[in-house]
Amino acid sequence: MTSVCETGRHRTHDVYEAQCPCRAMLDLLANKWSALAIGALEDGPLRFGELRRRLQGVSPKVLTQTLRRLEEHGILKRVVYPSVPLHVEYSLSELGMSAAVPLAAVRDWVERNIDKTSAPSRSEATGEAGFG
């Protein structure tokens, strides 16, 4: 489905076209860490350490890169509070809150249907203990 470009910078938006700028946003939102960070911020602002604990398995480098990309695209806001040490909080922008709705539906679908897939879970494939 194509849509008209509201800014007039492009004729239409069609994610199936190779040069469509929508692809960069789709790539960002389809990224695992982006989708999880957005979900973690749905209930309100979090500091970097809180986000890292919530997103188990993400490295500080990858989380930093993910948060920067989300901020650059207007999905989240970063607020620095001048204190010692610096206090930085991340929260969803209005655009981020609107992206959170379909991403929550995808996360919910995955949790409800993972046992119906034929692919082995990560713990089965690696021999790790599962999450019960």
Side-chain angles (χ1 to χ4, degrees), residues 24-35:
M25 182 61 74
L26 181 61
D27 180 57
L28 176 64
L29 295 177
N31 174 278
K32 169 180 64 177
W33 295 120
S34 293

Side-chain angles (χ1 to χ4, degrees), residues 33-100:
W33 295 120
S34 293
L36 293 174
I38 290 168
L41 291 167
E42 285 177 327
D43 293 329
L46 293 173
R47 294 175 74 168
F48 185 88
E50 294 168 320
L51 266 171
R52 187 160 172 240
R53 282 187 293 280
R54 179 82 172 106
L55 306 181
Q56 296 177 16
V58 68
S59 71
K61 177 182 176 182
V62 169
L63 181 56
T64 297
Q65 291 171 340
T66 300
L67 295 173
R68 284 183 183 156
R69 287 184 68 206
L70 290 168
E71 183 182 12
E72 288 168 4
H73 284 82
I75 301 296
L76 65 79
K77 297 180 282 186
R78 179 180 180 265
V79 178
V80 179
Y81 296 95
S83 61
V84 179
L86 282 179
H87 176 119
V88 180
E89 283 187 348
Y90 298 90
S91 62
L92 293 177
S93 66
E94 188 176 327
L95 184 62
M97 290 299 287
S98 69

Side-chain angles (χ1 to χ4, degrees), residues 90-112:
Y90 298 90
S91 62
L92 293 177
S93 66
E94 188 176 327
L95 184 62
M97 290 299 287
S98 69
V101 174
L103 290 173
V106 170
R107 289 189 311 272
D108 291 344
W109 182 92
V110 169
E111 289 176 349
R112 282 191 320 273

